[in-house]
Amino acid sequence: MQRHDVVVVGAGLAGQRAALAAITAGCDVAILTKLHPLRSHSGAAQGGINAAVGKEDSVETHTYDTVKGSDYLGDQDAIEFFCKAAGPTVVEMEHFGTIFSRSEDGSLARRPFGGAGFPRTIYAADRTGLALLQALFEHLGTQPYTLYEEWDLIEVVVRDGRVQGIVAFDRKSGEFAEIAAKAVVLATGPAGRIYGRTTNAHSCTGDGIAAAYRVGSLLKDMEFVQFHPTALLDSGILITEGARGEGGILKNAAGEQFMAKYAPHVLDLASRDVVSRAIVTEIQQGRGFPGGYVHLELMHLGKEKIESRLQEICDFGRNFAGVDPVTQPIPVTPAQHYMMGGIGTNQRGETNILGLYSAGEAACVSIHGANRLGGNSLLETLVFGRQSGEAAAAYVATAPTPVLAETDLDHAVAPIRSMSARSDGEDPLQLRKEMQATMDTLVGIYRTAGDLAEALRQIRALKERFQRVRVADVSQHFNINLTDALETGNMLELAEVIIVGAIARTESRGAHARLDYPKRDDAAWLKHTLAGRGADGPTLSYAPVTITRFEPKERVY
Ligand SMILES: Cc1cc2nc3c(=O)[nH]c(=O)nc-3n(C[C@H](O)[C@H](O)[C@H](O)COP(=O)(O)OP(=O)(O)OC[C@H]3O[C@@H](n4cnc5c(N)ncnc54)[C@H](O)[C@@H]3O)c2cc1C
């Protein structure tokens, strides 16, 4: 059996930064990842990373913007820490070799982003995530660690109140194995594929969040799902907020810049929840284009700017929508983009289970509260990735030797073996499609008690059917049918948590917009939702929000 001090699950920016911190602290570290590290979803990030650098901007304004963006649900102590760490984090990434775009005078170029009072989003054209990921991976390559590549986490093993290791699956050989670890850092990234219309990669299935939930972790604020206003019609491919940051304008079918009605001060650069609701409202009230979309216009920015600052957007428009953004408007509608919720942690990445840590999109600290600002999430992966790696290393120094039993493996693997042994049963892909349709139609941007109750009924029926799921492919190597089934099971679990939290929260805040409760209700709901796994589904409890300097007030853009 393999043994390590720290096993980091996930090789995106959060996982790599956590691993680097734990290695630097002297631990024996392994990274386990179902994808090649450079294929992690972090590499798809386009628009940029926020940091208040330069004289005109300040950590204080970044902090305020993030608190306001969160609709006051973010914990202000964590947000202050996060914004302070931003400058040094970006400089460190530059020293690791990230090639950021520059302004004329050679300083770091910055672009305006939604909900930000100042242009503070630092970028590498429209490929910021890939630039960061490559630089960090190269730096990590100079360090000693073990890489389990194309391995899936199956379960975290917790006994005697603490983590003992994990059970994992090697996609290449089809073998299951136990890996003992004193500490486990879950950095498994997004869960956006719970929805059909999403900007997230196919691998974003929330596996780590579901694994943590199964062993007793409390999931925080899962009902807050971010929809990005501008995803390409049909494919759902993201058109970065940087496109509006560079001056792009949204227009309805009547040619009106409709954001003037919804956010008179900042127009197209209001925060994402506000812009997404505006687009849906325009379409629902008959001012969209036939088929239900609006236009994002870049043409007035000129060929040179568009092709140098937004190269990928040009390619996406040309290749996936048949439009040339230099001369034609881009057809867009909102799509699921980010989960504000996740495994509940504190600022050190610690969960409610001893030895279990989490960071990145899988975690919820919470700094994004009810709505994340663009550019804050790349920063989150690095700041809290490092925090969790350091905290895990500190814990490992005194933690007892982990003990895994053969029964741990059997316990985790038995249900999977029975999926393959069935001669008849449910097709995992069919269940996944039905789940996505439910979430797209009933748990979207606008929510009602009736829709949510129906969604819960449908998801519970799918969970029931999942008990009889069948893996028809019996091959040993790269059995995608098997990993699809595991991912679908994970997502069904999380879909239920999202819906139960959304039903309970009878107010509208940030990305959670209830048509039947249109107002924010601080008296009753200025609190975090915590979901634990009960025998009959999620059991909810609540935790206070930390307010330090900014008293909640109405959010206007
Ligand atoms: C299209 C797009 C554009 C974005 N643009 C921006 C932007 O411009 N600015 C910004 O701040 N944010 C942006 N975001 C959000 C941001 O990129 C993500 O929140 C962040 O990169 C997530 O990083 P992560 O390290 O948590 O997860 P990821 O980078 O997704 O990494 C997850 C890792 O976990 C591994 N993994 C998952 N499940 C398992 C399992 N069962 N077993 C083993 N390994 C597993 C995967 O292999 C992967 O290595 C964007 C997101 C998308 C989808």
Side-chain angles (χ1 to χ4, degrees), residues 15-243:
Q16 290 191 28
R17 193 61 193 83
L20 180 60
I23 298 165
T24 308
C27 295
D28 164 19
V29 175
I31 300 181
L32 184 127
T33 169
K34 67 180 180 181
L35 302 173
H36 182 278
L38 294 179
R39 290 189 57 220
S40 302
H41 191 66
S42 291
Q46 302 171 357
I49 176 166
N50 293 341
V53 294
K55 284 192 221 64
E56 322 85 330
D57 200 4
S58 71
V59 169
E60 169 136 9
T61 1
H62 187 190
T63 307
Y64 172 69
D65 290 342
T66 304
V67 170
K68 179 181 171 187
S70 81
D71 220 348
Y72 296 89
L73 193 71
D75 286 321
Q76 296 184 12
D77 53 345
I79 295 174
E80 283 177 43
F81 170 81
F82 167 72
C83 295
K84 254 188 224 141
T89 300
V90 168
V91 170
E92 178 183 72
M93 287 309 298
E94 178 158 56
H95 290 173
F96 288 168
T98 312
I99 301 172
F100 289 113
S101 296
R102 298 279 162 183
S103 13
E104 295 280 303
D105 65 1
S107 60
L108 290 171
R110 289 165 290 167
R111 57 168 51 127
F113 245 50
F118 194 83
R120 74 166 65 90
T121 304
I122 295 164
Y123 57 94
D126 52 0
R127 298 194 185 92
T128 314
L130 195 60
L132 291 166
L133 197 62
Q134 283 173 338
L136 187 54
F137 190 53
E138 279 187 19
H139 184 78
L140 201 60
T142 65
Q143 308 290 314
Y145 70 101
T146 308
L147 181 63
Y148 295 89
E149 189 183 312
E150 296 185 314
W151 280 70
D152 286 61
L153 166 75
I154 303 293
E155 298 291 2
V156 176
V157 180
V158 176
R159 194 180 311 103
D160 303 331
R162 62 172 83 226
V163 163
Q164 310 286 344
I166 61 170
V167 173
F169 170 68
D170 180 1
R171 289 187 175 197
K172 299 180 287 303
S173 69
E175 300 291 328
F176 292 89
E178 291 174 312
I179 303 174
K182 291 179 179 170
V184 171
V185 181
L186 295 174
T188 45
R193 284 281 154 182
I194 295 175
Y195 288 80
R197 191 170 159 68
T198 174
T199 65
N200 286 192
H202 286 277
S203 56
C204 299
T205 52
D207 304 343
I209 311 175
Y213 180 59
R214 283 195 293 270
V215 291
S217 267
L218 297 176
L219 305 187
K220 198 192 288 176
D221 295 336
M222 288 291 288
E223 64 270 31
F224 294 99
V225 178
Q226 177 162 82
F227 291 82
H228 196 291
T230 61
L232 267 192
L233 191 64
D234 298 331
S235 65
I237 291 175
L238 179 72
I239 302 297
T240 173
E241 193 162 294

Side-chain angles (χ1 to χ4, degrees), residues 402-454:
V403 182
L404 286 172
E406 217 162 276
T407 46
D408 292 324
L409 185 78
D410 297 341
H411 183 74
V413 174
I416 304 173
R417 295 220 194 282
S418 54
M419 289 177 194
S420 302
R422 277 186 196 113
S423 55
D424 191 24
E426 296 282 353
D427 172 9
L429 278 187
Q430 181 58 30
L431 298 179
R432 185 184 291 216
K433 276 190 203 146
E434 291 183 35
M435 166 189 69
Q436 291 173 337
T438 298
M439 297 303 282
D440 282 347
T441 47
L442 300 173
V443 198
I445 291 177
Y446 285 115
R447 300 164 172 188
T448 64
D451 282 355
L452 292 170
E454 175 57 20

Side-chain angles (χ1 to χ4, degrees), residues 262-280:
Y262 303 90
H265 304 294
V266 297
L267 306 171
D268 299 85
L269 285 175
S271 71
R272 289 178 178 174
D273 54 334
V274 175
V275 183
S276 291
R277 283 195 289 274
I279 294 175
V280 171

